[in-house]
Amino acid sequence: MTKQEKIQAIQYAIDNPNTEELYYDLLGQMGDLKTNYWEYMTTEPINCDNELKRLPDADYELCTALLTMLLREDHFCNGSLMKRFEEGSVNAILHRMIETLQKGK
């Protein structure tokens, strides 16, 4: 998938928020689902709130790991993805992904 195609797919996810399946599919289609997301994290056990503080300086790879982290958090704490979406974390990650793709980071 080209950078432009990724940007379009991410924008679609922003414009059409849905269930966790949408975000899993997005990452999967782009080849960016991080099954080893914990390797990108700096806290152990993973503290999602602390990890999300890294978003302003995150590169594309870290963004995909952070989104995967939130999806996994929801798996273990059913309903947490909706909370993260409502507080803006999911879209913040998606917007940062677009930003890094546009800048070539």
Side-chain angles (χ1 to χ4, degrees):
M1 199 178 254
T2 67
K3 284 183 182 184
Q4 191 58 40
E5 290 170 331
K6 285 184 178 188
I7 290 169
Q8 290 172 345
I10 296 165
Q11 188 62 55
Y12 178 85
I14 292 168
D15 294 341
N16 300 282
N18 204 321
T19 64
E20 66 188 78
E21 186 176 334
L22 172 80
Y23 304 109
Y24 270 116
D25 288 347
L26 173 69
L27 291 173
Q29 290 172 4
M30 295 189 308
D32 292 324
L33 183 65
K34 298 289 188 257
T35 55
N36 63 335
Y37 68 95
W38 62 88
E39 292 180 8
Y40 293 82
M41 303 301 126
T42 59
T43 57
E44 192 176 328
I46 294 173
N47 181 317
C48 294
D49 293 322
N50 284 348
E51 297 297 341
L52 287 170
K53 291 176 185 174
R54 301 170 59 204
L55 186 59
D57 297 319
D59 64 7
Y60 182 79
E61 295 300 314
L62 179 56
C63 289
T64 60
L66 290 170
L67 184 55
T68 304
M69 172 192 74
L70 293 185
L71 292 169
R72 297 305 297 155
E73 177 190 39
D74 188 70
H75 175 78
F76 294 109
C77 301
N78 195 20
S80 66
L81 186 63
M82 180 58 74
K83 177 184 150 248
R84 298 285 184 186
F85 180 80
E86 289 171 356
E87 71 186 19
S89 296
V90 174
N91 277 348
I93 293 170
L94 295 173
H95 283 289
R96 179 67 183 161
M97 288 169 70
I98 289 173
E99 182 182 330
T100 60
L101 286 168
Q102 290 173 333
K103 289 182 179 180
K105 286 186 178 182

